[in-house]
Each structure stands twice: as C-alpha cells, then as structure tokens.
Amino acid sequence: SLVLPACGSSAPPSTVDSVHVQLGSAPAGTVTAEAGGLRYAIRTLQPSTHHAVTMVAGACAGAAGGSTADLVTDARGQAAGILATAAVPPPLCFRVHAGPPDAPAQVVATAEVTAGAAAELRPAGAQAGSAELRYDHATRVLTVDVTVTGLAPGTEHPNHVHTGRCDQEGGLLHILELLKAGPDGTAHQSTSIPQVDQIQAGSWYVAVHQGPGLDAQAEFSPVLCGDVG
C-alpha cells in the first residue's frame, strides 16, 4: 500500500555549514604607463614592508637585470603610487620581489607594461588552489581542506586562516597543517580546529605563504589568497 508523508513534514536541517574559497594569486594589481612614470596599485603583499621592484626593457620572458626601485606597503598590505621610469621607457617588464631592495629574493609577480593600457600583475609561477571550510554546529569543529597545484616539487608552504580580507590584511587566526608539494607540484592538507563558534564569512581569508618558514619577509610573502564568503 502507498504511504503518504505527513502534511508539513520535512527533513531535519543540516548542522554543517560549508564555504568554498577560491584562492587567487598574490600579489595582485595593475601597472599603467603615464607621462614620466608608472602608476601602480598593488594588493595582497605583507603589510608594512619594503619590496624590490625591478624594471627592464622588453618582454618578461628571459628578462634579467634592470633598474631597481623600492615599493613600500601600508598596514593593509597595499602599495600605490608612481615610479619614475625615464631610464626604462615602456614597453618594459615590471617585476615585484618577495624581499626588500637589499635582499630581493624571488620574483613573485610580473607585468608587461605598454603605453596607454593597464597591465595586470601575473604570478611568477603557475600555482592555483582552493579551500573548503566546513563547520559542524553540533561538535563546534571547523575543518579546513586546502588544495594547491603548480607549486615547485618538494617545497613546503605555511597556510592560515586570517582575520580581514585579502585586500585589507589582518592577524593570524588559525594555523593550518603545513602544505608539502609532491613530485607533481600538488599539495593537500586537512586541518580540524575545535571550539570554534562559526565561520565568519566576510571577515576571514585563507592565505598560503612562500615558506618554508615564516621568519624572513620573503618566506611570509603570500603565494595565494582567498576571501571566505
């Protein structure tokens, strides 16, 4: 015989909240050639730091040397202003380094600048990734799964949940398991964090850092970043 459900009945509500976070390349921004200089607007760098910027004539492929300038970030990890480029007129390759002018370290982003158009910063590598946040109201456990591809094989990368947003960086909130890239450049880790009240969509972000540690500025420099919610 056919049994009909009771009127108004429904499945119990889920006790788990899930948020998918797409991780974008860091740093990000634009560089535009103007009369006498380059106007830059860059975000998602380490707050309150100096970064070497090198500029060399021509395309970025195979570019080496060039003139060096000092780019200074504010407390939000942003930098904006104009750099004089009389010695290196467009077209040119604009490169942002993880470290300061006296210890520039690796290039983290480049832009090929031509006259009259804004050039987007592009990551120096091919990294991409995502994070899945799941919060269980019953257990008060937050689980964060982070997956990154395109890393250099064998490298290690600290990653965290921070307060704030990628373009207005804040403090460290939750330390996540260290990402370790395999032979194919892929890294995945899952972290369970107890005693969490809820996912703070709109005021958290997930950041993956250069590593392998966090002691030096170049190590702390973000590789990927994504806003939660």
Side-chain angles (χ1 to χ4, degrees), residues 138-162:
T139 62
R140 297 184 63 212
V141 172
L142 172 68
T143 302
V144 183
D145 293 323
V146 179
T147 302
V148 178
T149 61
L151 297 169
T155 54
E156 297 182 347
H157 302 268
N159 59 128
H160 314 107
V161 177
H162 293 256

Short mmCIF file of all heavy atoms in Angstrom, two decimals, residues 138-162:
data_model
loop_
_atom_site.label_atom_id
_atom_site.label_comp_id
_atom_site.label_asym_id
_atom_site.label_seq_id
_atom_site.Cartn_x
_atom_site.Cartn_y
_atom_site.Cartn_z
N ALA A 138 27.11 20.96 15.82
CA ALA A 138 26.94 20.03 16.94
C ALA A 138 28.24 19.84 17.71
O ALA A 138 28.25 19.78 18.94
CB ALA A 138 26.42 18.69 16.43
N THR A 139 29.36 19.74 16.99
CA THR A 139 30.65 19.49 17.64
C THR A 139 31.50 20.75 17.82
O THR A 139 32.51 20.72 18.51
CB THR A 139 31.47 18.48 16.82
OG1 THR A 139 31.75 19.04 15.53
CG2 THR A 139 30.69 17.17 16.66
N ARG A 140 31.12 21.83 17.16
CA ARG A 140 31.86 23.09 17.16
C ARG A 140 33.26 22.91 16.58
O ARG A 140 34.21 23.58 16.98
CB ARG A 140 31.94 23.71 18.56
CG ARG A 140 30.60 24.10 19.16
CD ARG A 140 30.78 24.78 20.49
NE ARG A 140 31.53 26.03 20.33
CZ ARG A 140 32.35 26.51 21.26
NH1 ARG A 140 32.56 25.85 22.39
NH2 ARG A 140 32.99 27.64 21.06
N VAL A 141 33.38 22.01 15.60
CA VAL A 141 34.66 21.77 14.94
C VAL A 141 34.64 22.38 13.54
O VAL A 141 33.70 22.16 12.77
CB VAL A 141 34.96 20.26 14.84
CG1 VAL A 141 36.19 20.01 13.97
CG2 VAL A 141 35.17 19.67 16.23
N LEU A 142 35.68 23.16 13.24
CA LEU A 142 35.87 23.73 11.91
C LEU A 142 36.93 22.88 11.19
O LEU A 142 38.03 22.69 11.72
CB LEU A 142 36.35 25.18 12.00
CG LEU A 142 36.79 25.84 10.68
CD1 LEU A 142 35.60 26.04 9.76
CD2 LEU A 142 37.49 27.18 10.96
N THR A 143 36.58 22.37 10.01
CA THR A 143 37.53 21.61 9.20
C THR A 143 37.87 22.43 7.96
O THR A 143 36.98 22.93 7.28
CB THR A 143 36.94 20.26 8.78
OG1 THR A 143 36.58 19.51 9.96
CG2 THR A 143 37.95 19.45 7.98
N VAL A 144 39.16 22.57 7.69
CA VAL A 144 39.63 23.35 6.54
C VAL A 144 40.49 22.44 5.66
O VAL A 144 41.52 21.93 6.11
CB VAL A 144 40.45 24.58 6.98
CG1 VAL A 144 40.85 25.41 5.75
CG2 VAL A 144 39.67 25.44 7.97
N ASP A 145 40.03 22.20 4.43
CA ASP A 145 40.79 21.42 3.45
C ASP A 145 41.37 22.39 2.42
O ASP A 145 40.62 23.13 1.78
CB ASP A 145 39.89 20.42 2.73
CG ASP A 145 39.39 19.32 3.65
OD1 ASP A 145 40.16 18.90 4.53
OD2 ASP A 145 38.23 18.90 3.52
N VAL A 146 42.69 22.38 2.25
CA VAL A 146 43.36 23.26 1.30
C VAL A 146 44.06 22.40 0.25
O VAL A 146 44.78 21.46 0.59
CB VAL A 146 44.39 24.17 2.00
CG1 VAL A 146 45.09 25.07 0.99
CG2 VAL A 146 43.71 25.03 3.07
N THR A 147 43.84 22.73 -1.02
CA THR A 147 44.49 22.05 -2.12
C THR A 147 45.13 23.08 -3.03
O THR A 147 44.48 24.05 -3.43
CB THR A 147 43.49 21.20 -2.94
OG1 THR A 147 42.86 20.25 -2.08
CG2 THR A 147 44.19 20.47 -4.08
N VAL A 148 46.42 22.88 -3.34
CA VAL A 148 47.16 23.81 -4.20
C VAL A 148 47.89 23.01 -5.27
O VAL A 148 48.49 21.97 -4.98
CB VAL A 148 48.16 24.67 -3.39
CG1 VAL A 148 48.95 25.59 -4.32
CG2 VAL A 148 47.43 25.48 -2.33
N THR A 149 47.85 23.49 -6.50
CA THR A 149 48.60 22.89 -7.60
C THR A 149 49.60 23.91 -8.15
O THR A 149 49.51 25.10 -7.87
CB THR A 149 47.66 22.44 -8.74
OG1 THR A 149 46.96 23.59 -9.24
CG2 THR A 149 46.64 21.43 -8.24
N GLY A 150 50.55 23.43 -8.95
CA GLY A 150 51.50 24.31 -9.61
C GLY A 150 52.64 24.80 -8.74
O GLY A 150 53.35 25.74 -9.11
N LEU A 151 52.85 24.18 -7.57
CA LEU A 151 53.97 24.54 -6.71
C LEU A 151 55.24 23.86 -7.19
O LEU A 151 55.19 22.88 -7.94
CB LEU A 151 53.67 24.11 -5.27
CG LEU A 151 52.47 24.77 -4.59
CD1 LEU A 151 52.15 24.05 -3.28
CD2 LEU A 151 52.72 26.24 -4.33
N ALA A 152 56.37 24.37 -6.76
CA ALA A 152 57.63 23.70 -7.06
C ALA A 152 57.68 22.39 -6.27
O ALA A 152 57.40 22.37 -5.06
CB ALA A 152 58.81 24.59 -6.68
N PRO A 153 57.98 21.27 -6.92
CA PRO A 153 58.00 19.97 -6.23
C PRO A 153 58.90 20.00 -5.00
O PRO A 153 60.00 20.56 -5.02
CB PRO A 153 58.54 19.02 -7.29
CG PRO A 153 58.16 19.66 -8.59
CD PRO A 153 58.30 21.13 -8.36
N GLY A 154 58.41 19.39 -3.92
CA GLY A 154 59.20 19.27 -2.70
C GLY A 154 59.20 20.49 -1.81
O GLY A 154 59.82 20.46 -0.74
N THR A 155 58.51 21.57 -2.17
CA THR A 155 58.50 22.78 -1.35
C THR A 155 57.45 22.68 -0.26
O THR A 155 56.48 21.93 -0.36
CB THR A 155 58.25 24.03 -2.20
OG1 THR A 155 57.03 23.85 -2.96
CG2 THR A 155 59.39 24.27 -3.16
N GLU A 156 57.66 23.46 0.81
CA GLU A 156 56.74 23.49 1.94
C GLU A 156 56.19 24.90 2.11
O GLU A 156 56.94 25.88 1.99
CB GLU A 156 57.44 23.04 3.22
CG GLU A 156 57.93 21.60 3.16
CD GLU A 156 58.59 21.16 4.45
OE1 GLU A 156 58.89 22.02 5.31
OE2 GLU A 156 58.78 19.94 4.63
N HIS A 157 54.90 24.99 2.42
CA HIS A 157 54.23 26.29 2.46
C HIS A 157 53.30 26.39 3.67
O HIS A 157 52.29 25.70 3.74
CB HIS A 157 53.42 26.50 1.17
CG HIS A 157 54.26 26.43 -0.07
ND1 HIS A 157 54.84 27.53 -0.63
CD2 HIS A 157 54.64 25.36 -0.83
CE1 HIS A 157 55.54 27.17 -1.70
NE2 HIS A 157 55.43 25.85 -1.84
N PRO A 158 53.62 27.28 4.63
CA PRO A 158 52.68 27.55 5.72
C PRO A 158 51.39 28.15 5.15
O PRO A 158 51.42 28.86 4.14
CB PRO A 158 53.43 28.57 6.59
CG PRO A 158 54.88 28.44 6.20
CD PRO A 158 54.87 28.05 4.76
N ASN A 159 50.28 27.86 5.82
CA ASN A 159 49.00 28.45 5.40
C ASN A 159 48.11 28.62 6.61
O ASN A 159 48.19 27.85 7.57
CB ASN A 159 48.34 27.62 4.29
CG ASN A 159 48.05 26.18 4.68
OD1 ASN A 159 46.95 25.69 4.53
ND2 ASN A 159 49.05 25.45 5.20
N HIS A 160 47.26 29.64 6.56
CA HIS A 160 46.49 30.02 7.74
C HIS A 160 45.12 30.57 7.34
O HIS A 160 44.92 31.00 6.20
CB HIS A 160 47.20 31.13 8.54
CG HIS A 160 48.66 30.91 8.77
ND1 HIS A 160 49.63 31.62 8.11
CD2 HIS A 160 49.30 30.03 9.57
CE1 HIS A 160 50.83 31.22 8.52
NE2 HIS A 160 50.66 30.25 9.38
N VAL A 161 44.24 30.62 8.33
CA VAL A 161 43.04 31.46 8.27
C VAL A 161 43.38 32.74 9.02
O VAL A 161 43.84 32.70 10.16
CB VAL A 161 41.82 30.77 8.89
CG1 VAL A 161 40.62 31.71 8.87
CG2 VAL A 161 41.50 29.46 8.17
N HIS A 162 43.17 33.88 8.35
CA HIS A 162 43.42 35.19 8.95
C HIS A 162 42.12 35.95 9.11
O HIS A 162 41.12 35.66 8.46
CB HIS A 162 44.35 36.03 8.05
CG HIS A 162 45.75 35.49 7.92
ND1 HIS A 162 46.82 36.06 8.60
CD2 HIS A 162 46.25 34.47 7.20
CE1 HIS A 162 47.92 35.40 8.28
NE2 HIS A 162 47.62 34.43 7.43
#
